[in-house]
Amino acid sequence: MASAPWPCVSRILWLACLLPLAPAGVAAGMYELQLTTDSPVTTGTEVTITASLVASDNGSLVLPTHIHFYRFHWVHTPLLLTGKTDEAFSSTIRAVGNEPGDFPVSVWVTAANCWMCQPVARRLLVPSITELLVGNLVVNQNSSLPWPSSYLAKTVLKISFLLHDPSNFFKTASFLYSWDFGDGTQMVTGDAVVYYNYPIIGNFTVKLKVVAEWEQATLHAGKSIMQKTGDFSASLKLHETLQGIEVSGPTQIESFQKMTVTLDFLGSPPLTVCWRLKHECLPLEEWECHPVSVANTAYNLTHVFRDPGDYCFSIRAENVISKTHQYHRIQVWPSSMQPALFAFPCATIITMILALIMYISLRNAHRKGVAENPEPPTGAKCCCQMCCGPFLLETPSEYLEVVREHHRLLPPLYKSVKTYTV
């Protein structure tokens, strides 16, 4: 019978243990953790991770005012802990990684007086540790462009290397910088900042190799020289402002002649070119012409003028940096070759047709006369036959027959051959 009260006593003790844990149970799911870190870092240097407890609905909940109400728990193996700082609603650790890789770090928050309670919030972060130096290249120019990695050619660029060393691990190290600007120019400096002017337009890649050396104490060798390296690069797009358009072409031309105008753009492609013929030199509006994409710095325009008068080529060109306008006046005169070019073929065709008609008429008339009147012709008719006979008769035999008829008194054309029989 003495053992009967023990279940009741154990139940009472269990409830007594759960009473301090009520606030944490109620707060579970109402808060969340925000993690920040300065990784990636180099092996041997410190990485810093900060966890902050905030309300999960953007701050409408009020956090408790007691500074020891919550406790932060960290798991950071295999990173070596070098320091930890706790505040009311945040906690920061500093750790060192001696091997490269990605290492998960987890943190959760519980009530300060109960480690075994349900966490109020938990979070996981994976900082990166690398054997190489960490940093980046920064390119600056006085004239900034609204496009990423775009800069002006023939203008000085400031290229800087920024080392990422939040723990000042490399404060005693010496650095050597090997630069390759991508246009055949290379240099070695001891300074992390260089100034360079690209004389031409195009796409270039700046490459940098950084070498860091420092002395470090060891257990057996005393001091030894340590070294770390890093390779970095940055892409550059060098453009040139469109300073103008040079127009090469005639200023006077005759109508119906093909005219070619060459446009030389003083700027970097790609370009968008638009042109239109007007009677006055006025700037073009956006809707007045159809734009053409030009990948080179030269472009040819061809046009045939049909009407004489004064004209003006209105030209607009633009690239990613700027735009410009240019005009080219031209006078078109009436063509002096146009009537002759059209009249000569027409006259030739008409003459040939008339000659054909005349030939057919005379031929038919001659045939009809010979059939109706076989008598020898006289007067004008005879003259016509004598003059035009070769053209009206079909064969030379007919011509010879006519000659015999009109020259009876002439000796015969063929002499008789006398034959003798012995």
Side-chain angles (χ1 to χ4, degrees):
M1 299 296 297
S3 61
W6 283 107
C8 296
V9 173
S10 61
R11 195 173 293 113
I12 292 172
L13 293 175
W14 178 254
L15 292 174
C17 292
L18 291 179
L19 286 176
L21 308 182
V26 174
M30 300 170 62
Y31 302 97
E32 63 181 16
L33 281 174
Q34 293 182 351
L35 300 184
T36 58
T37 182
D38 55 8
S39 72
V41 296
T42 308
T43 54
T45 64
E46 287 185 344
V47 58
T48 302
I49 305 173
T50 301
S52 301
L53 184 66
V54 297
S56 59
D57 59 347
N58 298 325
S60 63
L61 293 177
V62 179
L63 293 173
T65 58
H66 196 277
I67 60 174
H68 299 295
F69 195 81
Y70 294 112
R71 182 183 296 273
F72 289 80
H73 308 272
W74 294 87
V75 175
H76 47 75
T77 306
L79 300 180
L80 302 178
L81 186 66
T82 59
K84 181 180 179 183
T85 303
D86 289 328
E87 296 183 2
F89 305 106
S90 65
S91 178
T92 301
I93 65 169
R94 294 179 300 277
V96 175
N98 295 321
E99 297 293 335
D102 297 330
F103 304 99
V105 175
S106 61
V107 57
W108 67 94
V109 180
T110 62
N113 54 356
C114 182
W115 287 30
M116 302 299 294
C117 297
Q118 181 181 1
V120 174
R122 66 169 64 243
R123 197 71 182 268
L124 179 70
L125 182 68
V126 182
S128 179
I129 310 296
T130 177
E131 287 184 343
L132 304 175
L133 295 174
V134 180
N136 61 333
L137 285 176
V138 178
V139 182
N140 294 316
Q141 194 175 54
N142 293 334
S143 301
S144 60
L145 299 179
W147 299 274
S149 303
S150 296
Y151 306 93
L152 290 177
K154 302 178 183 179
T155 305
V156 176
L157 289 172
K158 179 183 178 182
I159 308 175
S160 308
F161 172 70
L162 300 180
L163 178 67
H164 181 65
D165 184 24
S167 61
N168 292 325
F169 181 83
F170 296 100
K171 61 183 178 181
T172 60
S174 60
F175 293 87
L176 193 65
Y177 305 91
S178 300
W179 303 87
D180 184 352
F181 297 97
D183 61 347
T185 304
Q186 298 178 351
M187 66 172 64
V188 179
T189 65
D191 195 352
V193 179
V194 294
Y195 295 88
Y196 191 73
N197 189 351
Y198 283 89
I200 58 176
I201 61 176
N203 298 330
F204 302 93
T205 300
V206 180
K207 297 180 181 179
L208 173 64
K209 184 177 183 62
V210 183
V211 179
E213 292 185 350
W214 71 98
E215 289 185 350
Q216 182 172 324
T218 59
L219 295 177
H220 303 287
K223 290 184 178 181
S224 62
I225 301 298
M226 307 298 294
Q227 185 183 91
K228 286 191 179 295
T229 62
D231 295 308
F232 309 90
S233 64
S235 298
L236 307 178
K237 297 178 181 179
L238 277 300
H239 302 276
E240 189 176 15
T241 56
L242 197 56
Q243 301 176 358
I245 306 173
E246 292 183 354
V247 183
S248 302
T251 57
Q252 293 183 352
I253 198 173
E254 294 183 352
S255 58
F256 294 95
Q257 287 185 353
K258 184 179 181 181
M259 186 198 69
T260 301
V261 176
T262 301
L263 308 179
D264 293 319
F265 304 102
L266 306 179
S268 60
L271 302 167
T272 301
V273 181
C274 182
W275 66 277
R276 187 174 180 179
L277 273 175
K278 294 185 174 183
H279 291 286
E280 297 180 358
C281 293
L282 297 175
L284 291 175
E285 300 296 337
E286 295 294 335
W287 50 269
E288 284 190 288
C289 59
H290 181 69
V292 178
S293 297
V294 178
N296 301 316
T297 56
Y299 186 71
N300 291 330
L301 293 178
T302 57
H303 188 75
V304 177
F305 292 91
R306 298 186 179 275
D307 299 323
D310 294 333
Y311 296 91
C312 179
F313 273 103
S314 296
I315 307 163
R316 184 183 74 235
E318 59 181 314
N319 58 8
V320 296
I321 301 175
S322 58
K323 66 172 62 176
T324 185
H325 292 82
Q326 186 58 277
Y327 309 99
H328 181 68
R329 292 184 180 275
I330 186 168
Q331 289 182 338
V332 181
W333 298 94
S335 177
S336 58
M337 298 295 295
Q338 178 186 354
L341 291 176
F342 284 96
F344 181 75
C346 294
T348 304
I349 294 174
I350 293 174
T351 303
M352 294 177 62
I353 294 174
L354 291 176
L356 180 62
I357 295 174
M358 209 178 201
Y359 170 75
I360 295 173
S361 300
L362 292 174
R363 182 177 177 182
N364 294 336
H366 169 69
R367 288 181 177 179
K368 184 177 180 182
V370 171
E372 294 178 356
N373 187 13
E375 294 297 328
T378 59
K381 184 175 181 180
C382 177
C383 181
C384 180
Q385 287 185 354
M386 291 297 297
C387 296
C388 305
F391 301 100
L392 298 177
L393 300 178
E394 293 183 352
T395 62
S397 60
E398 296 180 3
Y399 171 68
L400 293 176
E401 186 66 25
V402 172
V403 172
R404 291 193 192 97
E405 292 176 356
H406 294 285
H407 298 276
R408 294 297 181 183
L409 300 179
L410 294 177
L413 295 177
Y414 299 97
K415 295 180 179 182
S416 59
V417 179
K418 297 180 179 180
T419 58
Y420 298 91
T421 302
V422 180

